[in-house]
């Protein structure tokens, strides 16, 4: 994911992080920085820049003791919207009385499905800016998780 911000001192800062490998590339003022290690980069004037965090949890750069936020930290409502499908499926799927009402798969299968869609929902929420769209993506992730676990639950019940 590529993020571009404007800083009053350093000008345009471009932070690019690979979604698959986590490799980071940074350029400040149109000049790419030399990579020293996984988290440390070197500007042309010799200043060391330290990259902290990542796309999902939020990223910042430390330049001469100044902390510059490149990607905002995860918000409380994003965490709630991501944890909600997982908790719902794990709790509902393991309570027999609730599964008699609406049979959804729980346990390892439901936990794996809900965990996958929770992470995908978080990734989707971090990719957009408007809060209403983040909430919509979180609720969509919940609906897809519920639908898949419901379908598997009905398939298991009909097979018995």
């Amino acid at each position: 994911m590529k993020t571009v911000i404007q800083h009053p001192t350093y000008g345009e800062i471009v932070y690019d992080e690979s979604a698959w490998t986590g490799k980071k590339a940074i350029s400040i003022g149109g000049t790419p920085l030399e990579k020293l290690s996984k988290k440390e980069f070197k500007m042309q004037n010799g200043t060391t820049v330290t990259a902290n965090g990542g796309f999902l949890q939020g990223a910042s750069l430390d330049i001469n003791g100044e902390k510059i936020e490149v990607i905002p930290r995860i918000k409380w409502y994003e965490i709630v919207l991501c944890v909600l499908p997982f908790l719902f499926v794990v709790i509902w799927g393991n309570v027999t009385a609730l599964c008699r009402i609406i049979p959804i798969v729980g346990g390892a299968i439901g936990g794996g499905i809900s965990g996958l869609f929770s992470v995908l929902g978080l990734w989707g929420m971090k990719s957009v800016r408007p809060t209403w769209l983040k909430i919509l993506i979180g609720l969509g992730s919940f609906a897809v998780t519920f639908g898949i676990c419901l379908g598997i639950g009905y398939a298991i019940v009909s097979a018995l």
Side-chain angles (χ1 to χ4, degrees):
M1 300 302 292
K2 189 175 190 178
T3 306
V4 179
I5 63 166
Q6 291 294 329
H7 190 269
T9 307
Y10 301 107
E12 182 181 73
I13 299 175
V14 179
Y15 176 85
D16 191 13
E17 180 179 349
S18 171
W20 300 108
T21 62
K23 281 188 166 182
K24 298 171 177 79
I26 303 169
S27 67
I28 297 178
T31 307
L33 302 185
E34 178 186 343
K35 191 170 190 171
L36 299 176
S37 68
K38 188 175 182 179
K39 291 185 173 187
E40 291 187 342
F41 297 83
K42 185 177 176 183
M43 295 174 69
Q44 280 187 339
N45 64 6
T47 305
T48 302
V49 177
T50 306
N52 298 312
F55 176 69
L56 289 180
Q57 69 266 30
S60 65
L61 302 177
D62 188 6
I63 307 173
N64 288 332
E66 180 182 359
K67 189 173 183 180
I68 302 169
E69 187 176 75
V70 185
I71 298 174
R73 295 176 56 89
I74 188 169
K75 307 283 190 291
W76 67 270
Y77 57 86
E78 293 171 338
I79 294 171
V80 169
L81 287 170
C82 288
V83 171
L84 189 64
F86 181 76
L87 287 177
F88 181 82
V89 167
V90 168
I91 292 171
W92 191 286
N94 288 312
V95 176
T96 310
L98 294 175
C99 283
R100 286 189 187 120
I101 300 168
I102 299 175
I104 65 172
V105 68
I109 296 171
I113 292 168
S114 61
L116 172 70
F117 282 100
S118 291
V119 171
L120 289 175
L122 177 61
W123 184 76
M125 285 187 275
K126 293 293 288 182
S127 299
V128 297
R129 293 249 185 244
T131 305
W132 66 269
L133 190 54
K134 291 179 184 226
I135 293 170
L136 193 63
I137 290 171
L139 293 175
S141 173
F142 180 83
V144 170
T145 300
F146 181 77
I148 291 172
C149 290
L150 180 67
I152 294 172
Y154 272 122
I156 291 171
V157 168
S158 67
L160 296 175

